Amino acid sequence: MKDSLFTPSWRWLNNHFQQWADQRTPRATRIQLNQRRIYIVPTGSGFFWLSMVLVIFLVAVNYRNSLAYGLCFFMLSLFLLSILHTWRNLAGITLVAKGAEAGHAGEFIPVSIECLGGRCRRYSIAIGWPETESVLVSFDRDTEQRLVARAGSRGWFRPGRLRIESVYPLGLCRAWSWVRLDFRSVVYPAPDDRYPLPESDIADDGERSLTASGFDDFAGFRSYQQTDPPAHVFWQGYARTGELLTKQFDQPSGRELWFSLDQVPEGDLEQRLSVLTAWCLECDKQQYAYGLVMSGQKLAPSTGELHLKRCLEVLALYELDDGMAVSGGVNG
Amino acid sequence: MASPSVSRYATLWLLVAQVMVALPVLEVLPMSVLPLLVLTVIWRALIWFGRGAWPSDLLRRLLVVLSLVLIVTASGLPLSLELAVTFLVTGYALKMLEMKTRRDALVIAYIGFFVVGAGVIYSQSLLQALYQLLCLGVLVAAIHGMYSPVHSVSASFPIKDTLRFTGFMLLQALPLTLALFIFVPRLGPLWAVPWPEGEAKTGLSDTMQPGDVARLSQSYELAFRAQFTGSVPPARERYWRTLVLDQYDGEQWWQSDLTDLLNQFPGDIEDERDWQSRSPVIDGWWQVQPGQYNYEILLEPNGRQWLPVLGMAAASVPQATVLRSLRLEADKPVFERRLYQPTRQSVVAQTIAMPSWLLALNKSLPVNGNVQSRILAQQLFAESGRDPVTMGQLLMDYFNQKPFYYTLSPPLMDQNEVDQFLFVHRRGFCEHYASSFVFMMRSVGIPARIVTGYLGGEYLPAEKVVRVLQRDAHAWAEIWVEGQGWIRFDPTAAVAPERIDLGIDDMIEQGGLLQGQIPLAYRFAQAGFFKSVRQGWERLEYRWQKSVVQYQQEKQQSFMRELFGTSSFYWQQIGVLGALLALFLILFGVFALFQRPALNPHQKLWLRLERKLVDRGFKRQTGEGPKDFALRVSAENEAMGTQLLPIVDLYIQLAYSERVRMDKPLLDQLSKMIRQL
């Protein structure tokens, strides 16, 4: 938001500062804000305050007025103290990454962070990623705070630096910290529904995959199980009888879809993965059984939430260096 | 980025601050602006209570124009301190009417600080200082209110929080302020500034009505400094002659000037050389001899033309004139500090030539009035054998033996004031004694006149500097004795000798003035309690003025010299400031070191459990999970294990199970189990 104001040299400086700051403070799931992490500089009004101190100092000098000297020193003291107070307001705060939900690349992903204030009371602390709106966090009770972060590209979810800042109590100084919390969640490729589901295809291993047109045939009811999708629950029956029933559909053994990268007519790897993602989602919506054949990995056709998740994960992590993500390390 | 809006709570503080900071400067504001200010305060208060509407853009602009017109017509355009203060206070008021965002509110609060700054220029009394500190507290509270979370604190008016914070802030800031105040080097004025009207040019005046000098004695403003080389006269001999008041109309005394004299004595005075001379050597008026003291004077700007001199002026200094009344007058009013070195010579008293017109001038009195005094003077003159010096001595004895009091706030005396003073009130300041003395002398035909100037001054031995404040102002008398010249009589010495010996400051401190004669004290004379409170306050105020208000360049330097025992204290002073900074950083470090990690309740309990187990000889290995740890303990000590395993299970539940996380009863149970272990 302020980027337009930054001159290139300033941006260069800023980047170097960020790199330096990142080196000092590695990623972790639990981060306590301490003197290594908290930075503090005067705000605009802080600088204005200092210039007021200067003006009053000049008045004191020229009028040889002791009380004006006193006022000037008092304001200077307030400024110095507010450095301490602002810093103390952040110091000792512990942030714990409680986890993030899965989502698609480019989406906002809800993230749970536990904000622990410790023994001190905390006031007016804002927290947020640079690309999202900062929210004021309440530390009155130890609470979990839900934020959203924009997911960048598919793979392991690695939100950038989380900014936690405060100008409390007098707005003269801004104390802030860049925190890189380690989250474990997967970012699926962004779905790309340019292409319809493949009409009919023969998978690599020779199994037949039939046309996926038309709706499944209703085959009857069975008693409800917890894993059944809500869409298949026979709610009308529940209203009448009080018994939960699940509608069952015929899934003839041949009506399975196998997806692989080659089925996508064109595009680079990321685009193809996005198309596959859209297909998986579509199949899940339509309750088709679908399988995935990637190099080295093969998921047998199936349905259900778990299966979808597994497929999307495979797509998300396809040809990514897994180790980097798990170790939670070097760059973000 | 838009500035957040400002809360009603912070607005309330700003409204309170608006009224508070304006009160001390209210009297310097032009009368015409006051209704506007009151109107805006009421308007803003109504908006605050939800009963008024915000002024429209047009109306706001009209208000700005109106107030500008009011200010300029009332105080005129040339920049004065009053104009600046008026602008600040009006700006505060008008800005309040368009305050919507935090940025606006900050601007207002900052104006408030400037108004406080203006207020202390007008008065530096202890009371004022305490009041302004209160104002600062309110302003700090207002700013704190702007940055306080609105929603998180239970009440929407977290007054208790604010008061606690402000109190802490003041308590922490004051020691720091004090340290800075003591050690930050003072500078001399960098450029000339407009002084407050009226008060700025305190100092002697060229007319004197009893009561004038007493008013001066409240002013701690520096009059001048005298730097001596060689010997320094003792306090009782430091009569800084400044004005000679030889004209009297029955009510007030003033100085002669050439036009007066030419009117009064046409034909007697041939030209101005009879009255004034710019020459460093004066022939015919008097002879000079080598004097005792070598000194130069640094006069503070006072907008007046007269130059104080120790004793009688023997010759002129550059850009000044010496007058026949033995005083110096500058060519132009002194608006910048002026350094001059009076001649080292002194007048040989016997050689002073007094033409008849000058003698007549110093004998003149109104024909009527003050009959009793005239009669008393005749009696004493007869008693003295018509000898002027004996007569003076008799008058001094009279003041000394009758119950005369020396007081800074004499009662009002209007008609026949000499009579009233001598026979009714008998309370007065130096000018009462001097003027009645001169009156009685003149009434029996002895040439006499009032001299005003300063007496004493504070001596700083290290620099051989005498600092003379306006409050050292004094008035005494001179009588003409043929063959001996002008002889100084200080009637005050007969009443309050300590004024002469100690100087006015020490006299007050040692209680000389407090023994029933001090200003308000004697109004409350009957009420002992009020008297003692008043005296205590007077003493406190005096200490305040002396130690804080007067803490300027010289005071600081001599204090540093005293503190460090060396004349080159510069590095020590810098060292102390450095140490202050270091102390501040250490404080910072202490905060940093004592940071405990913030923990959840169950984590705290776990740590307690671990500590307890360490005491029993079981230490959890790094990387060992709670469950593994418990199993290992129970393998080594089964009894302990049976107790420990349920605790660990409960802990794991509390830490990881979504359902019971942070469940208060379970936490209590865990705590109890750990205690019983």
Side-chain angles (χ1 to χ4, degrees), chain A residues 64 80 95 135 215 243 272 291:
Chain A
R64 296 173 58 88
L80 292 175
L95 297 178
V135 291
F215 286 95
E243 191 190 1
R272 282 164 194 264

Side-chain angles (χ1 to χ4, degrees), chain A residues 1-2 30 32-35 40 45-46 48-49 51-52 55-71 73-78 80-85 87-88 91-94 98 114 116-124 136-138 140 142 144 167-172 174, chain B residues 1 81 106 110 113-114 116-117 120-121 123-125 129 133 136 140 143-144 147-149 151-152 161 164-165 169-170 172-174 176-177 180-181 184 186-191 193-196 222 225 337 544 548-554 584 587-588 591-592 595-601 603 661-662:
Chain A
M1 87 202 113
K2 282 189 219 156
R30 182 189 182 87
Q32 192 194 355
L33 303 186
N34 55 18
Q35 67 277 17
I40 185 160
S45 44
F48 188 80
W49 181 274
S51 58
M52 270 168 59
V55 169
I56 293 177
F57 182 77
L58 290 178
V59 167
V61 165
N62 282 325
Y63 284 91
R64 296 173 58 88
N65 188 302
S66 283
L67 284 197
Y69 273 114
L71 174 65
F73 296 144
F74 180 80
M75 290 176 70
L76 189 64
S77 302
L78 280 185
L80 292 175
L81 283 172
S82 95
I83 297 177
L84 271 183
H85 281 264
W87 184 82
R88 198 212 57 106
I93 282 178
T94 303
K98 297 305 275 191
E114 194 169 21
L116 301 174
R119 278 178 307 173
C120 308
R121 291 192 67 179
R122 313 286 177 175
Y123 304 90
S124 303
L136 281 178
V137 190
S138 160
D140 278 357
D142 289 336
E144 248 177 49
V167 293
Y168 181 88
L170 295 180
L172 299 178
R174 168 173 282 115
Chain B
M1 197 168 64
L81 197 62
L106 273 180
Y110 291 170
F113 280 97
F114 277 122
V116 169
V120 297
I121 292 177
S123 164
Q124 298 197 73
S125 71
L133 188 64
L136 289 179
V140 169
I143 298 181
H144 178 251
Y147 286 98
S148 282
H151 55 278
S152 83
D161 272 14
R164 197 180 49 210
F165 169 81
M169 220 48 182
L170 292 192
Q172 290 168 345
L174 284 179
L176 202 56
T177 307
L180 289 170
F181 185 83
V184 170
R186 294 291 192 278
L187 307 172
L190 304 176
W191 61 81
V193 283
W195 282 86
L222 184 68
R225 277 167 290 199
R337 280 196 178 162
W544 166 258
V548 178
V549 175
Q550 282 305 302
Y551 192 76
Q552 291 290 348
Q553 238 170 342
E554 299 88 358
F584 186 74
L587 228 94
F588 213 86
F591 269 129
Q595 283 303 321
R596 295 250 186 85
L599 293 174
N600 283 335
Q603 290 170 319
R661 265 200 65 206
M662 301 296 173

Side-chain angles (χ1 to χ4, degrees), chain B residues 244-248 254-277 285 321-327 329 354-364 442 449 486:
Chain B
V244 178
L245 310 173
D246 42 15
Q247 304 267 10
Y248 182 59
W254 72 95
Q255 307 203 84
S256 306
D257 66 12
L258 194 58
T259 7
D260 282 349
L261 295 171
L262 286 171
N263 287 335
Q264 280 169 0
F265 306 101
D268 287 334
I269 304 171
E270 280 160 18
D271 66 6
E272 61 167 41
R273 274 173 302 174
D274 281 340
W275 177 245
Q276 55 198 42
S277 162
W285 292 2
T321 313
V322 64
L323 303 181
R324 207 145 184 184
S325 52
L326 301 140
R327 68 178 188 90
E329 185 164 291
M354 286 284 279
S356 55
W357 58 268
L358 200 49
L359 282 174
L361 169 69
N362 283 295
K363 284 186 210 170
S364 65
R442 283 194 179 184
R449 62 195 185 187
W486 287 104

